[in-house]
Amino acid sequence: MYDVVVIGAGISGAATAWELARAGVKVAILDRWGPAAMASGWTLAGVRQSGRHPAELPLARAAVAQWEGLAEELGAPTHYRREGNLRLARTPEEVPVIQALAEAQAALGLDITYLPDNAAIRAVCPAIGPSALAATYCASDGHADPYATVAAFIEAAKRHGAETRFGEQVLAIEESAGRVTAVRSDKGLLPCGAVVLCAGVLGNELLAPLGLGVPLDIHMVTVLRSVPVEKVLAPVIGVANADCAGRQEADGRFRATSGVEPWHGAMETSPRPAVHPRAETIGGVVSRFAAAVPAFADAPIESFWAGLIDLTPDTLPVMDRAPIEGLVIGMGFSGHGFCLGPVTGRILAALARGEAPDQPIEPFRLARFNGGAVRGEGVTLHG
Ligand SMILES: Cc1cc2nc3c(=O)[nH]c(=O)nc-3n(C[C@H](O)[C@H](O)[C@H](O)COP(=O)(O)OP(=O)(O)OC[C@H]3O[C@@H](n4cnc5c(N)ncnc54)[C@H](O)[C@@H]3O)c2cc1C
């Protein structure tokens, strides 16, 4: 019998399991494939406060504060670098957009600077090409290594007694008389007092039989990764219309992404989940990111993939207790849940323990979506 079963070993589940384990909770974390098998491995892994929805900004700021000492707390590297974030305007039309973003975010208390021309941008980051006309710059943003970070959370959770069950697929969340009783996996039944559901884009497969759901619009983002090349780029690069982004990893590999595009609907599930990008989009990533950072054009590409993005209607996550006692949901991070990971873990662990989270979660309630707070019609609660 576990106190809590965490479903999903992406950054949200891994951080939650660590928080629970170090609080002395008997916890198991299950993943159908293994750590960082989906979004938390596919990600760009920017750790950014800039460009955040005002409701999410307090969480992002709290997360960034924790990222600084996270590797030490976890006892393993995250390769976190606080090297800033530049968001570029590349057309005259985008300049006022970027300027307004700088003003709005500064008004929310974020330390963000407006860089009004190419010279000012290149003074911060000489690797930027001549097409950038203006930018926002947030020096306290950064990036980290997603696999290393998730592994660090998992290993730290294990040291505190968490049980890891990887290669095990959860088939159902069992309930009786309106409360969670167990998790049923392809390996058997795991009785438990609470469940934290962090199964990303697949989470609704487990919520639907309970008459619950988080409204998700699944999109995809294409990612290209180069071999290690000379390090020229410190900040993470974004653009005003979000049609590309990128960074250079600690070992010199560029990781560049497309914008969000419709998912073609296919995902391989063996041996690991894989979504294949469209050829045209790969070309778009090359041309757009190389225009922003010319050194990228020469970098030999080592690998490419696509990742699925779980967009909620308001692009804010759900972090809440479900209307079934003992069930906590952490889903719908809408393409920006990596940065939030450490704070997500604190929030979901507190909810699973019946405590008040240390961050405001009103904007992340399930009840904000019609039908999300109540069970769907026709669903039988007791069999
Ligand atoms: C291309 C791309 C770029 C991104 N860039 C950024 C960025 O720069 N900054 C940022 O903050 N965020 C970014 N994000 C978003 C961020 O990566 C995600 O929001 C975050 O990783 C979500 O983590 P998670 O743990 O909630 O979900 P996931 O990492 O998707 O984890 C869900 C886990 O659940 C497991 N699972 C699913 N179903 C079952 C089941 N039935 N049984 C057992 N296990 C199951 C899966 O195997 C998976 O490991 C990006 C995402 C993508 C795809």
Side-chain angles (χ1 to χ4, degrees), residues 136-189:
T136 57
Y137 179 58
C138 180
S140 56
D141 284 348
H143 53 108
D145 182 306
Y147 282 108
T149 302
V150 175
F153 274 121
I154 295 286
E155 290 307 313
K158 279 164 69 175
R159 282 197 300 278
H160 286 286
E163 189 180 320
T164 55
R165 303 175 64 127
F166 298 147
E168 181 164 350
Q169 181 180 359
V170 175
L171 303 175
I173 298 165
E174 303 284 350
E175 59 138 341
S176 173
R179 66 159 302 123
V180 162
T181 57
V183 154
R184 186 157 50 81
S185 80
D186 55 1
K187 305 265 170 31
L189 197 69

Side-chain angles (χ1 to χ4, degrees), residues 8 10-12 31-33 39-40 43-44 46 170 198 335-339:
I11 193 161
S12 306
D31 199 286
R32 180 172 168 186
W33 291 282
S40 300
T43 186
L44 177 63
V170 175
C198 297
H336 28 83
F338 180 74
C339 162

Side-chain angles (χ1 to χ4, degrees), residues 7-13 30-34 36-40 42-47 52 168-170 198-202 206 221 223 257 307-310 330 333 335-340:
I7 305 173
I11 193 161
S12 306
L30 276 75
D31 199 286
R32 180 172 168 186
W33 291 282
M38 297 187 76
S40 300
W42 293 327
T43 186
L44 177 63
V47 176
R52 290 265 174 190
E168 181 164 350
Q169 181 180 359
V170 175
C198 297
V201 294
L202 300 181
L206 297 171
V221 169
V223 187
T257 80
L308 299 180
I309 299 274
D310 47 352
F333 288 92
H336 28 83
F338 180 74
C339 162
L340 299 182

Side-chain angles (χ1 to χ4, degrees), residues 64-80:
V64 164
Q66 195 174 348
W67 272 100
E68 183 79 77
L70 190 61
E72 201 176 323
E73 267 190 291
L74 297 176
T78 60
H79 301 290
Y80 172 67

Side-chain angles (χ1 to χ4, degrees), residues 71 87 99 173 236 285 349 359:
R87 189 169 306 273
Q99 191 165 11
I173 298 165
V236 177
V285 176
Q359 292 291 326

Side-chain angles (χ1 to χ4, degrees), residues 41-44 220-227 243-249 252-259 261 275-290 296-297 299-307:
W42 293 327
T43 186
L44 177 63
M220 61 186 257
V221 169
T222 294
V223 187
L224 271 62
R225 194 171 185 230
S226 78
V227 302
D243 70 5
C244 75
R247 67 182 178 98
Q248 201 170 6
E249 300 175 9
R253 285 183 166 83
F254 281 108
R255 194 180 272 235
T257 80
S258 68
E261 60 178 327
V275 179
H276 299 304
R278 298 180 176 90
E280 188 185 7
T281 309
I282 292 174
V285 176
V286 172
S287 58
R288 290 195 191 98
F289 195 64
F296 179 63
I301 297 302
E302 187 178 73
S303 56
F304 54 82
W305 61 88

